[in-house]
Amino acid sequence: MAKTFKIQIKGQVQGVGFRPFIFSLAKQYQLKGTVSNNENGVIIFCNTSKVGVDNFLKALLLNKPEIAIITSYVIDESRYTEFNDFIIVASKTKTQINLPLTPDFAVCESCKTEILDPKNRRFNYPFTTCVQCGPRYAITTKFPFERVHTSLIKFDMCEVCNDEYTNPSDRRFHSQTNSCRACGIQLKLVINFGETITENQADCIDKVVQFISDGKIVAIKNTNGYILCCDAINPEAIKTLRARKIRPNKPFAVMYPFIRMVKADFELTPYEEDALKSRVAPIVILQNTKNTRISTQEIAPNLNQTGVMLPSSSLLHLLMQKIGTPIVATSGNIHGSPIIFEKEETQNQLTDVADYFLHHNLDIQFPQDDSVVKFVDSQELIFRRSRGLAPNYIDAKINGEEPVLAMGAHLKSTFTLVPNSQTYVSQYFGNLDNYDVLKRYKNTIENYVDVFQTKPKTILIDKHLQYQSSILGKELVSKWNANLQEIQHHKAHFASVLGEHDKFNSGEKILGVIWDGTGLGDDNQIWGGEFFEYQRNEIQRVAHFEYYNWLAHDKMAKEPRLSLFSLLDNEDRDYIKYKFSKTEWGIYLKMIKTNRLKTSSVGRLFDAVASVLDIVDINTFEAEAAMLLENCAAGYIKNNPIDFLHNDNYTEIPSTKIIEAILKAYKNGFSKEHLAYSFIYTLAKTIIKMAKAHHIKIVACSGGVFQNSLIINILTQMSKKEKINFKFNRKLSANDENISFGQSMYYQHIKN
Ligand SMILES: [Zn+2]
Ligand SMILES: [Zn+2]
């Protein structure tokens, strides 16, 4: 006898074509009932037998849409209801939502084929999407994911689009972002002072192709925000873009039209190729080869690598097919500001940067930069977690039910909201000293709190109370009458890796190696070269790099020569006098005598090594010295690295000894490449020695230093021989982007 069963499915199941998929599967199994989105995911009711519902669920799990992620499912028998057919019913939610948010998906193969097919009705339509692809998070105003809750609501579907939307056998059945040339989004091409060049849709793209080929700079509104584009083979165009953006050296990303062209320019591993072609469509950092035809020196000065991506939207796909050559594609902003997404703002801020603007009239709700990743063999390192990756599903064990907001750090800000049983880690925002970044960070927090209709009861901030995130956190504490807790920066980093690998309950001792630029320590000194031990919900600091003078506040991070100045003793210091003016020398000598602020920063140690090897003395962008040093070390091809540390001191690692040894070897004619490599090798050896001294087999590494692919590579090689199991951040970046998640994990799992 037929019964009625209810199946609740949780996970990333909205905005991924799940309901249409269930609909056709139900038809195939001749089931009658309903499917709808609800606050927890997707809910199905159907009339069948116990065996029938089990078979149906089995088929569902086996054939689910590629971009869906199912985290749990429950079958219950429910009160018998007679259904006459199987239908999709509209969502009705009044309760708080409790499901992962869906990130944006890059354009799928079927849509790419359609827009290049002259016989297809979407030929050349730049906003073609389907249930499998298109913007999601970027255009969401509310949840659950329905057209009325997106920016598409202002476009009424034409009759043909509506037929697709309502036809169960069409691949755009229930596609919430459905539109076409007749009813959809419109392009508009304008010159930089605002005068319209054309609104003819075909002409818009053709003219942009023409402008870029002519060496001009065009600001293009993609579905996640504006990007600035120019010809990647034209050094003059790139130099102009650098000058206008006031960005002398920081690398630009390059967009290629086809994967085969990327393959001709770079030697791709299968992992890199998969990432480039994935629905995330991130920027993948690739090693240059002698065949790389783009203007590499202008794109990423003095670096032997390039950030490469494929088009993420139909608009960019169309454009790139017509251009047929790689273009520079960098976030549309001016130095330090967030990516721009509104037309007025573009014209205010980018008038002096871009020659032309390609606008469109789809509103962006959550603008995001492109994500950036790099591979060390199969290990993916996330450098920036943004479009396509955020705010996707983070699998984290949560203790307790109270809503928590973690404010994160300062330079690479993110926040983490835990309003229910899910953990939502926001995208990367940037440096909160920038007014516009701070505004966007604030607004996004407000949007999230609105979306989840939940006011946090506890707010977590960094111990550094001058961070803008800490200041705002305290304001929110008064506003919402919430509790406040400060969490030490490096302990939060450690907790982020423990959380990502679900290691809080493992019982084993875990060594935390947390190395970065700066973070305020428990002793009010500036930490950055820390070793911790984790066991049974407690974290202890067991060792650190020796303290040295922290000079001239923020200037220290910008001028690698200052870290070197601080790390050398009086005698050796004279050797680097040539790096300073006479006045500067006098000031710094005076400063070092009275200075009381100390640091254990490994990030600054990298700077000092870059300076001692005459690679760079003053950074033009954050982490430039570390990147150049890694680049130099990668040029070492022999296999005879030096370990600069012989004495085994397991409470304070002697940074001054490392620097002295490098200076001596450099004077004795060792090559920069050899010494740069040996420095990184010495750091890796230090971790192994520390693990052995503490009899620990699991080592969790986090902090900005672990974005260095060479150290990851050396550690991975050593791990096999030494039988040490290394854990790195996986879905989150190793840098301060993971602090907010780490704070929430620390709060929930650490007792001391
Ligand atoms: Zn598609
Ligand atoms: Zn239409």
Side-chain angles (χ1 to χ4, degrees):
M1 197 192 94
K3 296 173 172 177
T4 298
F5 289 94
K6 176 176 104 175
I7 311 174
Q8 171 73 59
I9 298 176
K10 294 186 182 182
Q12 182 176 291
V13 289
Q14 295 190 4
V16 294
F18 212 84
R19 289 179 300 172
F21 155 71
I22 296 296
F23 178 89
S24 50
L25 194 69
K27 289 280 173 187
Q28 207 182 311
Y29 277 73
Q30 296 176 330
L31 296 184
K32 290 174 179 172
T34 63
V35 58
S36 59
N37 283 347
N38 72 352
E39 64 282 3
N40 290 306
V42 164
I43 189 160
I44 303 162
F45 288 94
C46 58
N47 291 339
T48 181
S49 61
K50 182 76 181 80
V51 178
V53 74
D54 285 343
N55 286 339
F56 178 67
L57 183 67
K58 214 180 277 171
L60 183 162
L61 296 173
L62 207 65
N63 300 302
K64 70 167 182 67
E66 175 203 331
I67 51 179
I69 302 170
I70 295 175
T71 55
S72 71
Y73 49 84
V74 183
I75 304 181
D76 285 317
E77 196 180 328
S78 127
R79 192 169 53 86
Y80 185 75
T81 315
E82 177 97 37
F83 296 107
N84 298 319
D85 201 350
F86 197 91
I87 52 167
I88 296 181
V89 291
S91 322
K92 42 175 190 283
T93 46
K94 294 220 165 50
T95 45
Q96 293 163 348
I97 66 154
N98 185 8
L99 80 171
L101 307 183
T102 306
D104 298 346
F105 298 110
V107 54
C108 74
E109 290 306 315
S110 311
C111 287
K112 280 187 197 167
T113 310
E114 283 185 10
I115 56 179
L116 296 178
D117 174 7
K119 290 199 286 292
N120 192 286
R121 76 181 199 91
R122 285 195 174 77
F123 179 54
N124 275 341
Y125 178 57
F127 299 94
T128 300
T129 62
C130 69
V131 292
Q132 297 279 329
C133 75
R136 299 288 187 270
Y137 179 64
I139 52 155
T140 298
T141 49
K142 270 192 211 143
F143 291 86
F145 191 75
E146 296 283 359
R147 192 178 178 97
V148 290
H149 296 159
T150 71
S151 315
L152 262 303
I153 186 61
K154 73 174 188 190
F155 303 93
D156 279 336
M157 275 188 278
C158 67
E159 220 167 285
V160 191
C161 282
N162 199 48
D163 285 348
E164 292 169 340
Y165 186 86
T166 49
N167 175 4
S169 60
D170 194 282
R171 65 182 205 89
R172 293 197 171 82
F173 180 45
H174 271 260
S175 170
Q176 309 302 342
T177 51
N178 201 25
S179 69
C180 73
R181 173 135 292 159
C183 64
I185 304 147
Q186 302 287 315
L187 294 170
K188 182 176 175 177
L189 182 65
V190 307
I191 205 157
N192 65 348
F193 50 79
E195 189 188 322
T196 303
I197 297 173
T198 180
E199 290 187 69
N200 176 307
Q201 301 298 296
D203 282 0
C204 280
I205 293 187
D206 289 344
K207 286 220 154 69
V208 170
V209 171
Q210 185 64 50
F211 293 147
I212 290 179
S213 310
D214 289 348
K216 301 293 185 203
I217 295 162
V218 187
I220 297 172
K221 186 179 182 187
N222 196 17
T223 41
N224 54 307
Y226 282 85
I227 49 174
L228 285 162
C229 303
C230 72
D231 185 352
I233 303 179
N234 180 341
E236 291 312 315
I238 305 168
K239 279 183 199 159
T240 308
L241 177 58
R242 283 208 176 279
R244 292 187 190 169
K245 254 196 123 184
I246 321 172
R247 179 161 150 158
N249 292 315
K250 194 174 174 189
F252 285 141
V254 178
M255 189 183 299
Y256 274 70
F258 326 97
I259 190 76
R260 64 178 150 78
M261 203 179 269
V262 182
K263 283 178 155 174
D265 276 14
F266 302 90
E267 279 169 25
L268 285 187
T269 67
Y271 304 106
E272 290 165 341
E273 181 171 348
D274 284 353
L276 282 166
K277 296 197 293 199
S278 74
R279 291 307 177 75
V280 177
I283 296 168
V284 181
I285 298 175
L286 302 174
Q287 208 60 36
N288 296 346
T289 67
K290 61 178 189 326
N291 298 327
T292 311
R293 80 193 87 172
I294 50 174
S295 304
T296 50
Q297 182 53 30
E298 281 72 29
I299 289 164
N302 307 316
L303 291 171
N304 206 15
Q305 54 184 29
T306 309
V308 171
M309 65 178 146
L310 291 174
S312 59
S313 64
S314 291
L315 170 62
L316 294 179
H317 185 66
L318 274 176
L319 180 78
M320 293 310 289
Q321 298 307 303
K322 292 192 176 184
I323 291 184
T325 171
I327 65 168
V328 165
T330 185
S331 299
N333 57 10
I334 44 173
H335 45 164
S337 294
I339 187 168
I340 295 172
F341 66 106
E342 282 164 332
K343 192 170 142 197
E344 294 67 33
E345 207 185 342
T346 331
Q347 246 141 359
N348 289 339
Q349 295 203 28
L350 298 181
T351 302
D352 297 333
V353 182
D355 299 303
Y356 302 97
F357 294 87
L358 182 63
H359 301 299
H360 61 70
N361 59 346
L362 175 69
D363 297 331
I364 298 174
Q365 307 297 334
F366 290 100
Q368 289 184 295
D369 290 290
D370 294 310
S371 291
V372 185
V373 306
K374 187 176 180 182
F375 284 84
V376 179
D377 293 326
S378 61
Q379 169 95 38
E380 186 181 26
L381 307 181
I382 309 280
F383 279 30
R384 183 167 70 198
R385 181 176 166 277
S386 203
R387 178 191 50 72
L389 289 176
N392 65 349
Y393 180 65
I394 295 274
D395 187 10
K397 285 255 161 62
I398 292 172
N399 288 345
E401 281 171 12
E402 72 170 23
V404 176
L405 172 66
M407 303 297 291
H410 183 85
L411 280 181
K412 299 202 183 291
S413 56
T414 61
F415 65 84
T416 293
L417 181 66
V418 189
N420 46 44
S421 62
Q422 311 281 337
T423 296
Y424 302 91
V425 183
S426 78
Q427 73 269 33
Y428 152 91
F429 293 97
N431 184 346
L432 295 179
D433 277 335
N434 180 299
Y435 174 78
D436 295 323
V437 175
L438 182 63
K439 198 167 97 189
R440 184 154 312 163
Y441 166 84
K442 264 184 187 169
N443 290 346
T444 315
I445 291 178
E446 275 162 26
N447 281 352
Y448 270 53
V449 170
D450 275 357
V451 159
F452 296 103
Q453 299 163 41
T454 305
K455 287 207 172 47
K457 287 262 185 321
T458 295
I459 293 179
L460 310 174
I461 60 171
D462 194 276
K463 262 185 89 72
H464 197 309
L465 302 182
Q466 272 85 52
Y467 280 179
Q468 287 298 335
S469 54
S470 305
I471 295 170
L472 179 64
K474 283 182 148 184
E475 280 171 30
L476 295 175
V477 163
S478 342
K479 187 170 156 193
W480 293 330
N481 196 17
N483 304 312
L484 181 74
Q485 186 172 328
E486 292 168 18
I487 292 170
Q488 201 278 325
H489 190 91
H490 302 92
K491 292 177 184 172
H493 268 310
F494 189 15
S496 80
V497 197
L498 294 172
E500 278 208 75
H501 292 271
D502 192 17
K503 283 284 168 198
F504 287 105
N505 298 317
S506 78
E508 290 159 282
K509 244 204 254 177
I510 299 172
L511 181 69
V513 180
I514 312 300
W515 295 350
D516 66 359
T518 55
L520 188 64
D522 288 337
D523 56 3
N524 286 325
Q525 303 292 7
I526 298 178
W527 290 7
E530 312 309 308
F531 296 90
F532 298 101
E533 251 183 47
Y534 169 83
Q535 199 173 25
R536 291 190 206 94
N537 307 94
E538 288 191 15
I539 289 178
Q540 306 293 346
R541 187 187 192 212
V542 292
H544 60 90
F545 275 65
E546 75 179 326
Y547 283 138
Y548 54 98
N549 284 296
W550 182 274
L551 298 175
H553 306 284
D554 292 350
K555 227 176 169 187
M556 181 106 163
K558 291 180 183 135
E559 302 197 1
R561 61 180 186 166
L562 273 179
S563 296
L564 178 60
F565 179 90
S566 167
L567 278 158
L568 291 175
D569 64 19
N570 287 337
E571 201 177 312
D572 280 333
R573 197 177 287 138
D574 276 348
Y575 178 77
I576 60 153
K577 222 169 170 175
Y578 68 94
K579 293 181 187 283
F580 298 84
S581 75
K582 217 174 155 188
T583 328
E584 286 170 336
W585 191 255
I587 293 173
Y588 293 131
L589 277 182
K590 212 178 265 172
M591 212 181 258
I592 208 162
K593 277 187 194 130
T594 53
N595 180 62
R596 304 190 41 193
L597 190 58
K598 307 285 175 188
T599 184
S600 53
S601 171
V602 173
R604 297 294 80 83
L605 184 58
F606 267 82
D607 288 355
V609 176
S611 179
V612 81
L613 297 179
D614 292 318
I615 293 169
V616 64
D617 288 323
I618 296 178
N619 283 342
T620 62
F621 63 92
E622 200 232 326
E624 185 176 13
M627 282 170 76
L628 292 172
L629 187 71
E630 179 182 348
N631 194 68
C632 175
Y636 177 63
I637 39 171
K638 287 196 202 131
N639 190 18
N640 190 21
I642 310 160
D643 182 354
F644 296 117
L645 289 178
H646 298 297
N647 327 13
D648 296 328
N649 178 340
Y650 301 118
T651 51
E652 281 191 33
I653 307 301
S655 313
T656 46
K657 275 216 174 103
I658 299 177
I659 285 291
E660 274 166 28
I662 294 175
L663 177 61
K664 199 171 154 200
Y666 188 47
K667 282 181 183 166
N668 287 336
F670 281 79
S671 74
K672 288 181 191 191
E673 289 78 12
H674 190 175
L675 295 173
Y677 186 94
S678 297
F679 166 63
I680 294 169
Y681 174 81
T682 300
L683 294 181
K685 283 293 267 189
T686 305
I687 298 176
I688 300 284
K689 289 180 209 167
M690 188 66 73
K692 284 185 168 173
H694 288 262
H695 310 287
I696 296 180
K697 290 280 174 205
I698 304 177
V699 178
C701 302
S702 186
V705 169
F706 293 98
Q707 291 199 313
N708 183 302
S709 50
L710 192 56
I711 198 166
I712 305 278
N713 196 359
I714 297 174
L715 286 173
T716 309
Q717 284 171 23
M718 288 177 174
S719 70
K720 289 167 200 141
K721 196 173 135 240
E722 308 286 351
K723 301 207 167 49
I724 290 175
N725 189 350
F726 281 98
K727 302 286 180 203
F728 303 104
N729 288 104
R730 285 193 289 203
K731 290 190 174 177
L732 300 174
S733 124
N735 67 31
D736 282 3
E737 284 181 44
N738 75 39
I739 290 289
S740 66
F741 175 73
Q743 289 167 339
S744 95
M745 287 291 103
Y746 184 99
Y747 175 73
Q748 299 184 46
H749 297 281
I750 303 296
K751 286 189 294 209
N752 61 333

